Amino acid sequence: MASLLEMKEIFRSADAVCFDVDSTVIREEGIDELAKFCGVGDAVAEVTRRAMSGTVTFKAALTARLGLIRPSYEQVQKLISDNPPQLTPGIRELVSRLHQRGVQVFLVSGGFQSIVEHVALQLNIPTANVFANRLKFYFNGEYAGFDETQPTAESGGKGKVITHLKEQFHFKKVVMIGDGATDMEACPPGDCFIGFGGNVIRKQVKEKAKWYITHFDELLKELEER
């Protein structure tokens, strides 16, 4: 296992950095915001709590929550326009600095493609660098399920995305940054995991992550060291 000093060196020399989105790059949880917007916030929060406790698989929890929300295409677009995701302080500067250093930045999320692409746009991250779940709609805009073939729809999906990136782009060092257990589980195949507690602190992640931060300024300073 790498020491904290070794992890910091991996981060400074990484050729790719993957960020979780909900409660990491943005301040809120996209699915919870969508549930509130569609009037089923409390019911979905209960399913989320069960999912966090590990009693159901990620896909089962996602299926159950979306089954309660049943968002239409129009509702998703209205959520983005009326309540756009709030970027976490410091993320814009960090992504910009990584780009200046020639580091590829990816958004790897269990959230929804349409919301995550909106976030990517604000951070000048190409949509090709977004890996997230895709909602499906009927021709009249009604909810028709989600794309179950996406790796992010499964437990362990973020690790699969990192493996794919390493195979496709031959990255030597890939860093994963996020607030949750699914982010921590992505290393390996990721080379370094940085736990983020700036929006919400997950006890399990705080206790197990060797490198745990609460503000992106800490990572900016690390890049300035070199």
Side-chain angles (χ1 to χ4, degrees):
M1 291 290 283
S3 69
L4 181 57
L5 276 175
E6 287 168 333
M7 288 172 76
K8 289 185 173 184
E9 178 52 36
I10 289 169
F11 174 65
R12 285 196 297 267
S13 58
D15 37 17
V17 175
C18 297
F19 287 92
D20 170 49
V21 177
D22 294 334
S23 297
T24 300
V25 168
I26 61 173
R27 303 194 70 127
E28 57 275 286
E29 288 283 325
I31 195 161
D32 291 344
E33 295 305 305
L34 184 59
K36 282 185 230 167
F37 192 78
C38 295
V40 289
D42 291 344
V44 167
E46 179 52 39
V47 180
T48 300
R49 271 195 293 275
R50 289 208 300 274
M52 291 292 182
S53 70
T55 53
V56 290
T57 65
F58 181 82
K59 185 183 267 188
L62 185 61
T63 304
R65 287 182 287 183
L66 283 171
L68 287 167
I69 303 169
R70 301 194 66 77
S72 67
Y73 177 80
E74 189 182 349
Q75 283 173 317
V76 174
Q77 297 310 310
K78 194 160 171 50
L79 171 69
I80 294 169
S81 62
D82 291 6
N83 302 303
Q86 301 299 303
L87 291 177
T88 299
I91 188 64
R92 200 186 289 274
E93 294 79 4
L94 177 57
V95 170
S96 175
R97 187 78 187 92
L98 288 167
H99 281 156
Q100 284 168 15
R101 291 166 68 95
V103 179
Q104 287 267 7
V105 178
F106 296 86
L107 298 181
V108 185
S109 172
F112 306 123
Q113 187 92 12
S114 46
I115 296 172
V116 177
E117 284 184 351
H118 176 80
V119 174
L121 199 64
Q122 294 180 70
L123 296 171
N124 295 316
I125 295 170
T127 53
N129 288 18
V130 168
F131 293 85
N133 288 314
R134 295 175 187 272
L135 294 171
K136 296 199 290 193
F137 304 99
Y138 292 111
F139 68 92
N140 63 355
E142 285 181 9
Y143 175 67
F146 64 96
D147 183 353
E148 297 188 24
T149 66
Q150 292 298 313
T152 48
E154 299 265 13
S155 300
K158 292 181 181 183
K160 286 179 186 166
V161 170
I162 291 176
T163 297
H164 163 74
L165 293 176
K166 283 188 160 189
E167 288 171 355
Q168 185 174 358
F169 298 107
H170 307 292
F171 293 135
K172 298 281 189 294
K173 294 175 188 170
V174 179
V175 173
M176 182 77 212
I177 301 171
D179 68 290
T182 58
D183 307 308
M184 189 161 58
E185 288 161 5
C187 298
D191 300 279
C192 165
F193 169 68
I194 303 170
F196 182 73
N199 293 310
V200 61
I201 291 175
R202 316 268 184 212
K203 187 168 175 280
Q204 177 192 6
V205 176
K206 189 179 182 185
E207 287 173 357
K208 291 187 179 176
K210 277 198 178 171
W211 191 0
Y212 195 80
I213 63 167
T214 54
H215 202 288
F216 288 125
D217 280 358
E218 296 171 62
L219 297 183
L220 268 172
K221 282 181 195 148
E222 209 54 56
L223 294 177
E224 304 310 328
E225 299 281 310
R226 186 170 170 178

